[in-house]
Amino acid sequence: MKPLNFRLFILFAFIALPSVVYGLKREKLSVQDSILYVSPFQDDNERCFKCHGQEKYEYTNESLGKQVKALLCSDRIVNRSEFYSANHKSFSCTDCHSEAYTKFPHPGELRMEMQYNCLDCHGGDEAFAIFSFEEIDAEYQQSVHFRLENEGFTCWKCHNPHSYKISRRNTTNLKETIQYDNNICLNCHSDFSRLQLMTESKEINLMEKHDWLPNQTSHFRSIRCIECHTKTNDSILISHFIVPKEDAIRGCNECHSKNSILMTSLYKFESKENRKDGFLNGIILNESYVIGANRNKYLNIISLSIFSIVILMIIIHILFRILKK
Amino acid sequence: MYLYPLWVRLWHVLNAVLVIILIITGISMQYTGKHGYILLVGFASAVKWHNIAAVILTFNYIVFVTANVVTGNGRHYRIEKKNFFSDLGKQLLYYSRGMFKGKKHPFPVSLDRKFNPLQKLTYVLTMYVALPLLIISGLGLMFPEVTINKVFGVSGLILTDILHITLGFFISIFLVIHIYTCTLGSKPTSLFRSIITGYHEPDEE
Ligand code: HEM
């Protein structure tokens, strides 16, 4: 038995080694990513960050002539490092907010400040054509959330103006992207205090609603909410058409099959990039093993051949047994 | 000759049924189609039954190993280095030529030698190499959060899965060959009868 054990060990080592090296390589990449960006408006923004950058803020009460310290509610806090790694990191606060905010107390009429929407800046801009903003907007208008616009729903509710950054397109770690994208939805859907701002419905338990899905935690780490809740569209990377709950995907074999929908949603980016090389299976293999979807042509052929040879040998043996009786 | 004690027969029936369930549900999961199923079992129920059968099989396997140690049935699974390859060759030669020429069994069944060298090797490889690895890798897939990810980084689950499927494939091949070689008794049906009744019919007519 000894030599056999040893050979098995070597075999495992050969399988395991490349994957460890691969894992280490990735770790390095994500470290490089987080090098801090220096904004041209760093000093300007400190005018706001000195209060909005953390919980505690101070101001001078002019009628009393003294320093007052107070706490900012968490919704009013903007995290510096998140802001400076977001898509709009090169902005000054006052690019989007009125210059009048430099005054404190903030003037009352600013409460009614109009906000830009994404299309105001990105609509029709060639530089952002790869994102297809117009098409995303059209999809959003069909989605279940659009009817909540009167309650204050906007693109900004999913794309936090101070922290949103593209994830899937630049992903180095798919699990992190999945978590990032799911947190966008969970921000409301697992926080009733936010949800109740827009709906009269009672609180629901999301985990219970998805009870039919086995290995829930493992699934939610490997797929995004939008995999099941949107209708995919070939021309944009992230479908924004969130369908009514009745139309959400429930069938296991939508994902766990050869023509897995994941190829047109979660893995779309890679599957497009790699289509020419025919590496479709290879990319999934690096991230997740989706039972039923990961089929390797060569392994299939090999296993089928071995099986056929065995059956053939048995048939020949049977023939000999009959003939030589 | 009373060759298969009751516990072996009970273990074996349960084992065979479970392995067949596992193979069918396993293949169903691997090859579900998007539109309608190729095989009988739908994905959700395949997952469920695969898990149930696997847990029972794990306990059944523990019974097998324990009983083999306790009762001494395990001695039939001990491989001797001496003449290992030549004995194997003799048995192969018998299956490929000897038996058609009416030659005698090179290793006739006796109470001291239940298995011929080829049987012994395949049983040991199946029961003490493939099956335990299959069970361990399967448990790794059942409890992904506890185990493998930490050791191998991102790809742990995938390696486990490939190992699991490969071993499952080999067990399926074993099963086909096993069932076929079990028709090589004195009559095609006699070995099947013995694993049910426990009594071995003499090899030579
Ligand atoms: C329908 C399925 C099966 C049938 C008809 C079958 C039939 C038999 C027969 C006739 C024997 C007695 C002959 C001999 O000792 O070689 C036997 C023994 C044995 N079978 Fe199977 N078998 C089946 C499935 C399996 C499976 C799935 C495994 C393991 C994964 C297995 C493992 C064994 C072992 C280890 C023995 C020797 C038991 C002992 O005496 O210690 N069998 N089987």
Side-chain angles (χ1 to χ4, degrees), chain B residues 1-197:
Chain B
M1 199 182 332
Y2 187 62
L3 218 48
Y4 308 107
L6 183 66
W7 73 264
V8 168
R9 288 177 276 146
L10 288 178
W11 162 79
H12 186 266
V13 166
L14 185 58
N15 186 61
V17 170
L18 291 172
V19 168
I20 288 169
I21 293 176
L22 287 163
I23 290 176
I24 292 174
T25 51
I27 293 177
S28 303
M29 284 192 275
Q30 184 65 5
Y31 293 104
T32 39
K34 198 158 179 175
H35 310 287
Y37 299 105
I38 299 172
L39 281 135
L40 302 169
V41 196
F43 194 88
S45 35
V47 168
K48 194 175 89 193
W49 286 105
H50 199 78
N51 286 348
I52 294 174
V55 170
I56 305 177
L57 182 90
T58 305
F59 285 109
N60 201 33
Y61 181 70
I62 294 171
V63 169
F64 174 79
V65 176
T66 320
N68 262 332
V69 172
V70 175
T71 65
N73 187 52
R75 74 180 189 281
H76 296 291
Y77 293 85
R78 215 157 291 143
I79 291 180
E80 287 116 47
K81 279 211 186 87
K82 215 175 118 222
N83 295 337
F84 174 71
F85 286 106
S86 61
D87 282 358
L88 214 56
K90 269 186 213 155
Q91 184 64 32
L92 274 172
L93 208 63
Y94 170 74
Y95 279 147
S96 56
R97 293 239 208 101
M99 61 177 284
F100 303 122
K101 295 184 176 154
K103 290 244 173 75
K104 280 199 174 357
H105 273 281
F107 303 96
V109 177
S110 70
L111 283 175
D112 287 330
R113 187 173 56 212
K114 187 154 63 164
F115 308 138
N116 70 46
L118 199 60
Q119 259 177 325
K120 193 186 274 183
L121 180 66
T122 49
Y123 287 163
V124 166
L125 285 179
T126 308
M127 297 310 300
Y128 289 107
V129 181
L131 208 54
L133 283 176
L134 193 67
I135 291 175
I136 292 169
S137 59
L139 289 175
L141 294 172
M142 207 181 257
F143 304 104
E145 54 281 351
V146 203
T147 36
I148 344 290
N149 260 355
K150 289 168 202 156
V151 188
F152 289 133
V154 254
S155 334
L157 216 55
I158 297 153
L159 292 180
T160 321
D161 227 316
I162 291 175
L163 179 67
H164 191 72
I165 290 180
T166 310
L167 291 169
F169 174 72
F170 280 116
I171 298 263
S172 316
I173 294 282
F174 161 80
L175 184 58
V176 172
I177 297 176
H178 178 56
I179 294 180
Y180 180 66
T181 52
C182 286
T183 64
L184 297 174
S186 52
K187 276 188 252 104
T189 51
S190 46
L191 286 180
F192 296 108
R193 213 171 296 138
S194 23
I195 196 72
I196 294 169
T197 63

Side-chain angles (χ1 to χ4, degrees), chain A residues 168-169 237 265-274:
Chain A
R168 185 61 192 99
R169 187 176 287 278
L237 180 61
S265 55
L266 183 58
Y267 302 123
K268 182 185 211 158
F269 194 56
E270 284 77 2
S271 72
K272 267 207 169 132
E273 296 275 292
N274 291 321

Side-chain angles (χ1 to χ4, degrees), chain A residues 79-128:
Chain A
N79 182 308
R80 277 188 190 77
S81 63
E82 278 180 9
F83 183 81
Y84 286 124
S85 49
N87 287 339
H88 298 119
K89 56 176 177 267
S90 62
F91 278 54
S92 156
C93 307
T94 48
D95 285 338
C96 297
H97 296 288
S98 162
E99 192 63 40
Y101 272 113
T102 45
K103 288 206 209 60
F104 188 83
H106 298 321
E109 63 271 19
L110 288 181
R111 291 225 149 219
M112 315 302 155
E113 184 189 39
M114 288 288 287
Q115 297 292 356
Y116 295 112
N117 66 39
C118 316
L119 274 280
D120 289 341
C121 300
H122 288 289
D125 189 338
E126 275 303 306
F128 301 104

Side-chain angles (χ1 to χ4, degrees), chain A residues 165-198:
Chain A
K165 70 170 185 226
I166 32 178
S167 178
R168 185 61 192 99
R169 187 176 287 278
N170 301 336
T171 198
T172 48
N173 181 337
L174 192 60
K175 299 269 161 175
E176 272 171 20
T177 292
I178 290 166
Q179 200 185 357
Y180 178 87
D181 284 5
N182 284 352
N183 280 343
I184 290 179
C185 314
L186 293 174
N187 194 28
C188 287
H189 284 286
S190 67
D191 183 357
F192 187 63
S193 58
R194 268 177 214 285
L195 215 53
Q196 67 184 355
L197 297 176
M198 299 179 194

Side-chain angles (χ1 to χ4, degrees), chain A residues 1 4 8 12 15-16 19 221 252-254 256-259 261 285-289 291-292 294-295 300 303 306-307 310-311 314 317-318 320-321 324, chain B residues 29-34 37 43-44 95 99-100 124-125 129 133 142 144-145 151-152 154-155 158-159 161-163 165 169 173 176-177 180 183-184 188:
Chain A
M1 291 305 292
L4 181 74
L8 273 177
F12 283 131
I15 303 176
S19 66
R221 250 186 281 131
C252 319
N253 46 351
E254 294 288 337
H256 291 283
S257 65
K258 200 170 175 186
N259 300 312
I261 56 156
L285 246 104
N286 288 331
E287 302 292 355
S288 254
Y289 191 92
I291 309 169
N294 290 69
R295 293 182 200 172
N300 265 355
S303 49
I306 295 179
F307 200 78
V310 168
I311 297 289
I314 289 179
H317 206 256
I318 293 177
F320 268 97
R321 277 167 80 186
K324 296 281 181 173
Chain B
M29 284 192 275
Q30 184 65 5
Y31 293 104
T32 39
K34 198 158 179 175
Y37 299 105
F43 194 88
Y95 279 147
M99 61 177 284
F100 303 122
V124 166
L125 285 179
V129 181
L133 283 176
M142 207 181 257
E145 54 281 351
V151 188
F152 289 133
V154 254
S155 334
I158 297 153
L159 292 180
D161 227 316
I162 291 175
L163 179 67
I165 290 180
F169 174 72
I173 294 282
V176 172
I177 297 176
Y180 180 66
T183 64
L184 297 174

